[in-house]
Amino acid sequence: MMKKILHCLLSGSLLLAMSSSSSLAAESALESQLVNALKIKQNTEVRQTKSRPVIQAYQQAGILSKKPDQRADYVDFYLVRKPANFMGHKLVLLEEEYMDTYVGCCVSPGLGLVLQVEADTRPLQDFAEKNACTFKSHADVFDTLKTYGIRHTLPKADYASLSCRERDAQK
């Protein structure tokens, strides 16, 4: 009887460990996709991959809702629904800028994100410099969300933003 109980406990622990391991692998794969959509191809102003497949992957994982929390001009704003990280920081908001239909001038395709700062931001700043992105420390995410009418329950914390759009690469 004791052997059966021990076997059941060990089997359950193994399944839990395998599930946790597969969850970490999926999160790592998502973060890699996001990194590639933010990185710039060497000696160009073009990002390594398109933003749409990244948004869809995060939606499929349940991290983003199927529809944006808000759309303004050419930008879709998505509040993160489930925990996700980017370079050691908590991912809070993803912005995708693209053009479906013409609504005026000045679309700048690409992605932006807001992070709740969890550690040193120097690696983020280095990433921004190497990949023609704009990094802002101490970003006022509350003002941004209010401006676009996005309801949120974000804690008071230190936030940073990273924008990797066409316009950022042309600076």
Side-chain angles (χ1 to χ4, degrees), residues 8-20:
C8 286
L9 287 173
L10 289 174
S11 295
S13 295
L14 182 60
L15 284 173
L16 184 60
M18 288 172 54
S19 167
S20 178

Side-chain angles (χ1 to χ4, degrees), residues 19 34 54 91 120 129-130:
S19 167
L34 180 55
V54 174
L91 186 60
D120 181 20
E129 288 172 21
K130 290 177 187 170

Side-chain angles (χ1 to χ4, degrees), residues 34 37-38 51 54-55 95-96 109-113 162-165:
L34 180 55
L38 299 172
S51 59
V54 174
I55 296 295
E95 305 168 355
E96 181 187 25
L111 289 170
L113 48 93
L162 184 68
S163 176
C164 301
R165 295 176 167 90

Side-chain angles (χ1 to χ4, degrees), residues 133-167:
C133 299
T134 300
F135 174 79
K136 290 182 185 168
S137 59
H138 313 297
D140 189 349
V141 66
F142 300 106
D143 187 51
T144 301
L145 296 175
K146 183 180 175 185
T147 298
Y148 293 108
I150 301 171
R151 294 184 183 176
H152 64 85
T153 56
L154 298 177
K156 288 193 184 263
D158 189 16
Y159 294 94
S161 68
L162 184 68
S163 176
C164 301
R165 295 176 167 90
E166 189 177 277
R167 189 175 302 114

Side-chain angles (χ1 to χ4, degrees), residues 52 55 59 64-65 67-69 76-80 93-94:
R52 178 72 354 212
I55 296 295
Q59 288 170 325
L64 302 179
S65 61
K67 292 186 177 188
D69 291 281
D76 286 347
F77 296 90
Y78 295 91
L79 281 171
V80 173
L93 177 80
L94 270 174

Side-chain angles (χ1 to χ4, degrees), residues 82-96:
K82 288 172 43 177
N85 294 305
F86 181 78
M87 295 181 70
H89 303 276
K90 183 179 176 184
L91 186 60
V92 173
L93 177 80
L94 270 174
E95 305 168 355
E96 181 187 25

